[in-house]
Amino acid sequence: MAILEVAQLEKSFGGTKVLRDISFSLEEGQALSIIGSSGSGKTTLLRCLNFLETPDSGRIAVRGRNLLDGSLSPQERRRNRLHFGLVFQDFNLFPQYTALENVTLARRLLAKSERTGEAPEAIRREGEALLEQMGLGDRMGHYPHQLSGGQKQRVAIARALAMKPDILCFDEPTSALDPELTGEVLKVIRQLARQRTTMVIVTHEMAFARDVADQVIFMDGGVIVEQGEPRMVMDHPKEERTRQFLARYAQG
Ligand SMILES: Nc1ncnc2c1ncn2[C@@H]1O[C@H](COP(=O)(O)OP(=O)(O)OP(=O)(O)O)[C@@H](O)[C@H]1O
């Protein structure tokens, strides 16, 4: 069974349809890249998956359970959010907290609100291990303003992982970074892909999308124009719109 199944998802803002008939599925341990021109609906799709926007209709199912089922209780709806983690373009770290506090805060709050019985000490140790994994073992006590953009983004990735989401989403994770800092973030995401972390990645990094993803979706005007294995979609696009988009990218 697919870990994620999205079917006929629709979203409008005012009278404007921004997502139409979006359907795809993702297997556990796979990475999906979403590419497409500006304004094509990529961020809105990620925001719908993360419940930052409410879709107008359609289905988002994780392990076969429809998270948009109208009969869910408020508590079940709150828990739905925990299936997904989101790494934003501009990091969204809390400036008043250290790297380690940023990573552990949500878990500590969850332990309290859901009475999970998790000890703060265990949460801290896990946070430290995640920051080590991100190559930030010597930056745990630093505040965001003391970190480079690439380091901030790696803290943000550790923070998302700390919540143990089923599906980790990235919204153009390198677009706010100087080119020399892009590589360190892409390297971490590649490492997560090798560890079979299930991921949905919106990116403008075409070479990265091609080699990290098991599946790629090309969006334009709120619809999925083409989807499939990255090399097939990107090297042999069937649709004219995909061809034009990729040609524009190739020209830089
Ligand atoms: N909150 C909102 N209210 C009204 N319109 C919105 C809102 N959010 C997004 N839109 C519109 O929805 C469309 C899709 O936007 P979205 O940000 O999802 O595209 P995108 O593919 O992520 O673009 P980019 O690559 O530039 O980030 C755009 O026309 C945008 O102006």
Side-chain angles (χ1 to χ4, degrees):
M1 182 200 295
I3 189 166
L4 173 66
E5 190 198 332
V6 173
Q8 289 149 6
L9 205 69
E10 306 265 336
K11 175 72 186 169
S12 299
F13 289 115
T16 312
K17 261 229 159 116
V18 172
L19 296 178
R20 283 169 210 270
D21 195 19
I22 299 291
S23 299
F24 64 89
S25 65
L26 187 61
E27 298 297 319
E28 187 152 20
Q30 286 203 333
L32 164 74
S33 285
I34 303 178
I35 59 172
S37 42
S38 184
S40 59
K42 306 180 298 295
T43 296
T44 305
L45 172 56
L46 277 196
R47 289 176 61 83
C48 285
L49 292 179
N50 284 271
F51 298 95
L52 297 171
E53 302 287 355
T54 310
D56 301 331
S57 59
R59 176 181 157 90
I60 298 175
V62 173
R63 297 199 169 89
R65 259 191 73 237
N66 183 12
L67 308 185
L68 301 180
D69 182 343
S71 66
L72 295 179
S73 68
Q75 192 188 31
E76 285 171 315
R77 280 173 201 281
R78 252 196 334 273
R79 287 195 180 140
N80 278 346
R81 294 172 189 266
L82 298 173
H83 289 294
F84 296 90
L86 179 57
V87 175
F88 298 88
Q89 254 176 65
D90 48 4
F91 331 126
N92 281 13
L93 296 179
F94 296 110
Q96 71 275 34
Y97 296 129
T98 64
L100 184 59
E101 287 165 347
N102 264 282
V103 171
T104 56
L105 180 68
R107 268 287 281 287
R108 283 190 278 131
L109 293 176
L110 186 73
K112 238 187 223 163
S113 68
E114 300 275 315
R115 297 198 181 88
T116 61
E118 258 189 319
E121 181 55 26
I123 296 174
R124 186 174 63 81
R125 272 200 305 273
E126 262 188 52
E128 287 171 352
L130 282 168
L131 283 170
E132 291 279 358
Q133 188 191 335
M134 295 296 128
L136 294 170
D138 57 349
R139 294 287 187 278
M140 298 195 196
H142 285 54
Y143 289 87
H145 73 92
Q146 298 171 310
L147 300 171
S148 72
Q151 290 168 339
K152 279 190 262 205
Q153 193 56 304
R154 285 183 284 145
V155 173
I157 295 171
R159 177 175 64 176
L161 287 169
M163 296 302 284
K164 302 186 197 307
D166 292 305
I167 298 138
L168 183 57
C169 303
F170 293 86
D171 189 7
E172 297 180 32
T174 60
S175 62
L177 299 177
D178 291 336
E180 72 270 23
L181 299 177
T182 297
E184 63 188 65
V185 171
L186 296 184
K187 190 172 147 200
V188 162
I189 304 174
R190 281 200 171 91
Q191 183 191 329
L192 292 173
R194 277 198 299 276
Q195 295 165 352
R196 312 306 292 164
T197 308
T198 311
M199 296 188 281
V200 177
I201 309 164
V202 169
T203 184
H204 288 296
E205 300 280 340
M206 293 300 139
F208 171 72
R210 185 196 306 256
D211 62 42
V212 84
D214 301 284
Q215 203 189 137
V216 70
I217 281 176
F218 172 69
M219 285 182 70
D220 192 38
V223 300
I224 294 178
V225 175
E226 203 157 342
Q227 67 187 103
E229 200 263 316
R231 277 161 217 277
M232 286 312 289
V233 171
M234 297 169 88
D235 295 348
H236 308 285
K238 288 198 215 82
E239 302 293 332
E240 185 53 30
R241 277 189 282 178
T242 322
R243 235 191 302 277
Q244 284 174 5
F245 172 83
L246 292 168
R248 275 202 305 279
Y249 256 85
Q251 285 161 6

